[in-house]
Amino acid sequence: MKIKRRAAAYGVCRSADGSVLLTRGSDASAFPGVWSLPGGGIDHGEHPDDTVVREFAEETGLAVRITGVRTVLADLARLPDGTVEHTDRIVYDVAVTGGELTPEADGTTDLVAWVAPADVPARPLLPFTAGVLGVTFPPTDLGELPAGLTPERTGPVQRFGAYALATDPAGRILLTRIADGYPGGGRWHLPGGGTDFGETPEGALARELHEETSQRGRITGLVGVSHRYDPAALGPEGVPLEWHVIRVVYQVTVPEPTVAAVTEAAGGSTAEAAWCTLEQARNLPLTELTRDALGRTG
């Protein structure tokens, strides 16, 4: 079975009367004639924020600004050639700042339109677009997929990860130390990691949180989206990765904290885990992701 992964960013853009901007797949797309939120694949090394702005300009002719992150999704689809594709999707709310509505020329979309809320369900929609817009759609049946599917690495590594800014009732912060030999080795990081093929960000976060810290938590919000591009990064075997990680950070509460401990299932990338007060955390060598997440939440 042929499988592939991709990461993409999209925007929900509404007019003053509540109409939503949609684009139609062209004959060059996997699903011609099907409507979607404007957006598309995240280029290697590109910040997802920049992706959605770029894709809006290409597909709609409009300049937009991001007003917030609406949701993060993952889904599987079978492409016309039989390939099963896993797509991680970041969906933003955006507002128009300029430009003129113009369909894409010679691309994967061929029409752009403002669609009134009452008319949205009548359009053939990609399933993720239907879900975001609250339209009921039949679930996709791909049949039974083998366990442990992993796309073959054929070039630079783009990884999609989910991370937790996790706190307990006492206000302590849950951190993990990256093992030596891995990107960021020796620094303290947020619990989390890459999502597996067919796995949702929320499912990956719950798995990683337990594997790396032995905790069970509950997602209470979305802190933000970031990325890190390191073309010189080396893997544990000294192999260049040209590492591009796209990271979603969730706010998580752990109502019944236990002693933080790394489980065997975590593998070798996490050296230790610990609950820290904010003052203790400030005195640790932190990753850029951890510093940014703590700064966003004050």
Side-chain angles (χ1 to χ4, degrees), residues 124-294:
L125 303 171
L126 288 179
F128 92 91
T129 298
V132 170
L133 299 180
V135 177
T136 301
F137 62 96
T140 302
D141 183 11
L142 300 177
E144 187 173 351
L145 299 178
L149 289 174
T150 303
E152 181 182 356
R153 180 189 165 196
T154 57
V157 174
Q158 189 179 68
R159 186 183 192 218
F160 197 91
Y163 296 84
L165 180 58
T167 56
D168 70 357
R172 296 183 300 171
I173 302 161
L174 187 60
L175 297 176
T176 61
R177 185 169 65 83
I178 301 171
D180 293 338
Y182 289 83
R187 293 188 176 274
W188 288 84
H189 199 35
L190 298 180
T195 63
D196 292 338
F197 187 86
E199 188 175 40
T200 65
E202 296 89 346
L205 185 67
R207 173 180 55 76
E208 290 278 354
L209 188 66
H210 187 258
E211 289 177 358
E212 293 186 345
T213 70
S214 302
Q215 308 301 303
R216 301 289 187 186
R218 175 170 52 86
I219 293 174
T220 59
L222 187 59
V223 176
V225 174
S226 70
H227 84 139
R228 182 175 179 81
Y229 177 49
D230 187 355
L234 298 177
E237 295 83 20
V239 178
L241 297 176
E242 197 175 338
W243 189 258
H244 181 213
V245 59
I246 300 162
R247 306 171 301 198
V248 180
V249 179
Y250 293 92
Q251 186 81 49
V252 173
T253 183
V254 180
E256 299 180 3
T258 60
V259 175
V262 183
T263 72
E264 187 175 346
S269 62
T270 304
E272 63 178 307
W275 285 103
C276 304
T277 65
L278 183 57
E279 190 62 33
Q280 289 170 332
R282 286 176 177 148
N283 294 319
L284 292 173
L286 302 175
T287 63
E288 157 264 333
L289 177 67
T290 307
R291 291 195 307 270
D292 179 66
L294 291 175

